[in-house]
């Protein structure tokens, strides 16, 4: 169950996303869990869409799937940014998912 005010939840998610190192990715659900907000994966997505300056491209769907539909500008932007950080993307998925997945350490 999520805890704290909405502002506290936002700050926790913000801090977690900022901590994801370049070249690594994390799922929406894992960001929520690491932020002490289990079950709020959709809230994480909302925060990423609202707050400028977050490395939103490092947050992907469970299993490494890029978060946006292929025909969108956001998809291409996410792929471009991840590739620039050395993350290989094939068919809309992060390759080496298990090695690239960040668990907070």
């Amino acid at each position: 169950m999520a805890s704290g005010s909405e502002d506290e939840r936002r700050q926790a998610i913000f801090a977690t996303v900022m901590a994801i190192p370049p070249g690594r990715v994390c799922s929406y659900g894992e960001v929520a869990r690491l932020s002490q907000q289990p079950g709020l994966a959709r809230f994480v997505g909302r925060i990423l869409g609202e707050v400028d300056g977050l490395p939103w491209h490092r947050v992907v769907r469970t299993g490494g799937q890029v978060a946006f539909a292929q025909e969108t500008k956001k998809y291409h932007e996410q792929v471009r940014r991840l590739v620039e950080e050395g993350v290989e993307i094939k068919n809309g998925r992060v390759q080496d998912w298990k090695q690239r997945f960040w668990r907070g350490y």
Side-chain angles (χ1 to χ4, degrees):
M1 186 60 124
S3 61
S5 70
E6 183 168 331
D7 189 53
E8 290 169 330
R9 291 192 302 268
R10 286 169 143 318
Q11 290 301 316
I13 290 166
F14 180 88
T16 300
V17 172
M18 290 302 292
I20 303 169
R24 303 289 295 276
V25 295
C26 195
S27 68
Y28 291 91
E30 187 68 4
V31 168
R33 188 189 70 73
L34 290 168
S35 303
Q36 304 302 310
Q37 308 304 319
L40 292 184
R42 288 180 187 226
F43 186 67
V44 170
R46 192 174 97 196
I47 299 303
L48 293 178
E50 293 176 357
V51 179
D52 290 331
L54 290 176
W56 60 269
H57 61 285
R58 297 180 188 144
V59 183
V60 297
R61 293 180 180 163
T62 300
Q65 183 178 357
V66 172
F68 302 95
Q70 277 189 322
E71 62 275 359
T72 65
K73 287 174 77 173
K74 282 284 200 182
Y75 170 89
H76 294 287
E77 179 70 10
Q78 186 172 28
V79 169
R80 182 187 65 76
R81 288 180 180 209
L82 288 172
V83 168
E84 284 177 356
E85 293 184 354
V87 178
E88 185 181 348
I89 306 291
K90 185 175 181 182
N91 297 321
R93 289 195 182 275
V94 173
Q95 300 301 290
D96 300 334
W97 167 246
K98 289 181 180 177
Q99 290 76 30
R100 295 284 180 182
F101 187 70
W102 184 73
R103 291 174 176 79
Y105 49 86

